[in-house]
Amino acid sequence: MTRPLYATIAALTLAGAAQADTLTVLAPDYFGSSWGPGPAIKEGFEARCDCTLEFRTGDVLPRLMLDGARLQGDVIIGLGTDELLRARQTGLFADHGQDLSPLSVPVTWEDDIFIPFNWSYVAFVYDQTRLETPPASFAELIERDDISLIWQDPRSSGAGLALLLWVDQLYGDDALGIWENLAAKTVTVTAGWSEAYGMFTNGEADMVLSYTTSPAYHIMDEDDDTKAAAIFDEGHYFTAEAAGILAGAAQPELARDFLAYILSDEFQQMIATANWSYPSALPREEWPEVFRDLPLPETAIFLTEDEADARRSPALAHWLDGMTR
């Protein structure tokens, strides 16, 4: 009986050790998909951590708000900049403890809790085969009556929320009339980005709300240079996705190692072509050539999380009034 008992204890110990070496990262659905950045990041991190990285995918902020302290995991990745205040207010995150000096985002980022892993600007992307002269400004977009649009609902889409706050920053109390004007050009407002972009690529509108980096996908993966982002004189709304460590992490050291990995050259080199966005901690001269060649807005419109939260409700009121007139 002695040897089986030792064997049982050893097996339990090994099982416990294996469990202890699993880092659980909560991420959006796209992140863990076969075409998202997750598989390459998992392979890269596991090669250096001597552990297993497990992605649990879904809508990260709703899950955080619903489960609260019951949420099981070590790291959350994929929170949009306009979601960070609500995530922070849960009190469920720990300091990341990382040196942020490698960050190369075009805005000041000083945050002990969240680290951005990518960034881009919200923009209307157009098909050059059906729209030869894109609007050069938001004002021109409003004036033109020959353009059809597809964009996303700000109540269910991060890009849609960014458009809401972009219009709010440009037009303030006049935004109601802007939404009324945009509604007249709009083919449909979708719940999410994927549905809108699919309709655009099927030829159902001249322009779609997306990101300045979206054309890179068509150029690099499809050898198609017909898609471009219209760059507006007024500037574009900056947006990023961030990661943070859950205070109740079962693997806090691995979690901190993963946050450090996010800032590494290896991770950052994956982001451009796996996430179709700009890397957050890589100088522009080290981006893939196609990304370096994409036009950048001269002005970044960026709201702190407090500013974005304060403007959300009044901006939504203008949007609802304008869209239903």
Side-chain angles (χ1 to χ4, degrees):
M1 294 296 291
T2 303
R3 292 188 62 182
L5 176 59
Y6 283 148
T8 301
I9 292 173
L12 289 172
T13 302
L14 288 171
Q19 187 176 16
D21 289 334
T22 297
L23 178 73
T24 302
V25 177
L26 309 179
D29 287 325
Y30 84 85
F31 203 92
S33 68
S34 59
W35 48 267
I41 290 169
K42 174 180 169 64
E43 181 179 353
F45 186 66
E46 288 182 347
R48 63 169 63 192
C49 74
D50 192 25
C51 70
T52 298
L53 193 164
E54 177 185 303
F55 286 113
R56 292 184 185 168
T57 60
D59 294 331
V60 290
L61 183 63
R63 190 191 308 178
L64 176 70
M65 304 301 288
L66 181 64
D67 291 354
R70 295 171 299 169
L71 187 63
Q72 299 293 310
D74 300 301
V75 171
I76 289 184
I77 195 166
L79 290 165
T81 41
D82 295 323
E83 298 175 323
L84 295 185
L85 180 61
R86 282 183 287 166
R88 192 187 310 276
Q89 287 176 337
T90 65
L92 296 176
F93 289 88
D95 287 1
H96 54 64
Q98 304 300 318
D99 173 14
L100 298 182
S101 61
L103 289 179
S104 55
V105 293
V107 301
T108 300
W109 191 284
E110 297 173 346
D111 194 325
D112 293 332
I113 301 295
F114 298 112
I115 294 177
F117 66 91
N118 70 356
W119 66 278
S120 191
Y121 294 104
V122 176
F124 283 99
V125 172
Y126 65 102
D127 184 334
Q128 298 177 84
T129 64
R130 55 183 291 167
L131 185 64
E132 293 184 0
T133 306
S137 66
F138 221 113
E140 183 182 343
L141 174 66
I142 299 305
E143 292 170 0
R144 298 264 296 263
D145 59 8
D146 61 334
I147 295 174
S148 57
L149 303 173
I150 296 176
W151 42 284
Q152 298 94 54
D153 191 323
R155 297 166 297 183
S156 57
S157 160
L161 178 58
L163 174 64
L164 179 85
L165 296 171
W166 187 13
V167 169
D168 181 70
Q169 285 301 293
L170 294 180
Y171 295 101
D173 289 340
D174 293 330
L176 189 152
I178 300 301
W179 291 118
E180 187 176 1
N181 184 298
L182 286 176
K185 311 178 194 304
T186 297
V187 174
T188 187
V189 177
T190 63
W193 176 89
S194 297
E195 183 182 357
Y197 209 84
M199 294 179 68
F200 165 71
T201 55
N202 285 335
E204 297 186 40
D206 299 317
M207 306 183 83
V208 63
L209 181 68
S210 191
Y211 302 94
T212 54
T213 43
S214 299
Y217 165 77
H218 299 285
I219 296 169
M220 297 183 74
D221 260 31
E222 300 179 337
D223 195 26
D224 174 7
D225 61 0
T226 64
K227 310 299 188 300
I231 302 301
F232 290 170
D233 293 340
E234 298 96 333
H236 287 246
Y237 195 84
F238 168 90
T239 184
E241 289 180 290
I245 300 172
L246 286 168
Q251 298 290 341
E253 292 299 326
L254 280 178
R256 277 189 284 275
D257 290 346
F258 185 73
L259 271 286
Y261 183 58
I262 285 175
L263 296 172
S264 71
D265 281 355
E266 181 178 292
F267 182 102
Q268 292 290 316
Q269 292 283 359
M270 299 177 198
I271 284 301
T273 54
N275 197 234
W276 302 107
S277 54
Y278 299 118
S280 66
L282 203 64
R284 185 175 182 178
E285 57 268 23
E286 296 183 30
W287 298 353
E289 183 178 0
V290 167
F291 281 80
R292 293 199 305 270
D293 291 344
L294 293 175
L296 280 171
E298 292 187 4
T299 302
I301 298 173
F302 176 57
L303 300 184
T304 67
E305 60 190 34
D306 289 323
E307 291 170 335
D309 188 67
R311 291 306 309 164
R312 186 194 311 264
S313 291
L316 268 174
H318 285 149
W319 176 76
L320 284 168
D321 284 349
M323 294 297 293
T324 53
R325 281 194 172 189

